[in-house]
Amino acid sequence: MNEQSPAPELWSTIDALCEWLDTNRPVEGREGLLLRILKLSEEVGEVAEAVIGATGQNPRKGVTHTWKDVEAELCDVAITALLALRTLTPQAPEVFARHLERVTRRSTARSAQADVPRGSL
C-alpha cells in the first residue's frame, strides 16, 4: 500500500482544515492572514526544540524528545505552510505545483551540471 496521499486528497484536507480555521479564527482580514503566516515561526521553533531535545543538547534537561517527535513537528511545519499558502491564494495547489516544478528543474539541472567534468565543456 502506498503511504503517500495523492495531491487532490492532500489539498481537499488542507481546504477542510482552512475552512475550520477560518470559522474559528478570532482575527479577520489582513491581520488574520499575517498571523496565520507567522504561525510558521512557532512551528519551526518547535522543530528546533524537538531536535535539541532528541539530541540532549540542553544539559539541564537532557533527552526530552524522540526523532518521532521531530518527524511530527516537521509535519506540522509542512501543514502550517500549506494552510498559509491556501489562505493567501485559492490557487494554492497550482501555485505549489508550479513552484515545486521550478525548484525541481533548477535543482536537477545544477545536479546534472555538477556531473560534467570542468574541462569537458
Side-chain angles (χ1 to χ4, degrees):
M1 175 191 252
N2 188 353
E3 290 185 39
Q4 295 178 346
S5 298
E9 183 179 316
L10 169 72
W11 286 105
S12 65
T13 302
I14 292 298
D15 284 343
L17 287 170
C18 198
E19 185 177 320
W20 174 77
L21 285 171
D22 288 347
T23 301
N24 294 289
R25 72 173 152 190
V27 180
E28 297 289 330
R30 182 181 173 120
E31 189 176 318
L33 167 65
L34 296 175
L35 289 168
R36 192 162 295 170
I37 292 170
L38 286 175
K39 177 76 171 146
L40 275 167
S41 294
E42 177 188 0
E43 296 298 341
V44 169
E46 290 175 10
V47 171
E49 180 181 12
V51 169
I52 289 167
T55 58
Q57 290 302 302
N58 184 335
R60 185 174 51 83
K61 294 181 180 179
V63 175
T64 59
H65 291 74
T66 67
W67 288 105
K68 290 284 185 195
D69 295 326
V70 175
E71 290 174 5
E73 296 300 344
L74 286 169
C75 288
D76 286 348
V77 169
I79 292 165
T80 302
L82 293 175
L83 285 166
L85 181 61
R86 177 59 184 83
T87 301
L88 189 61
T89 177
Q91 289 83 34
E94 296 83 7
V95 169
F96 184 77
R98 281 194 309 269
H99 189 75
L100 181 60
E101 184 180 327
R102 279 193 303 271
V103 169
T104 302
R105 194 171 48 246
R106 180 180 67 218
S107 298
T108 56
R110 286 186 183 152
S111 178
Q113 288 173 354
D115 292 341
V116 177
R118 290 193 183 262
S120 65
L121 293 178

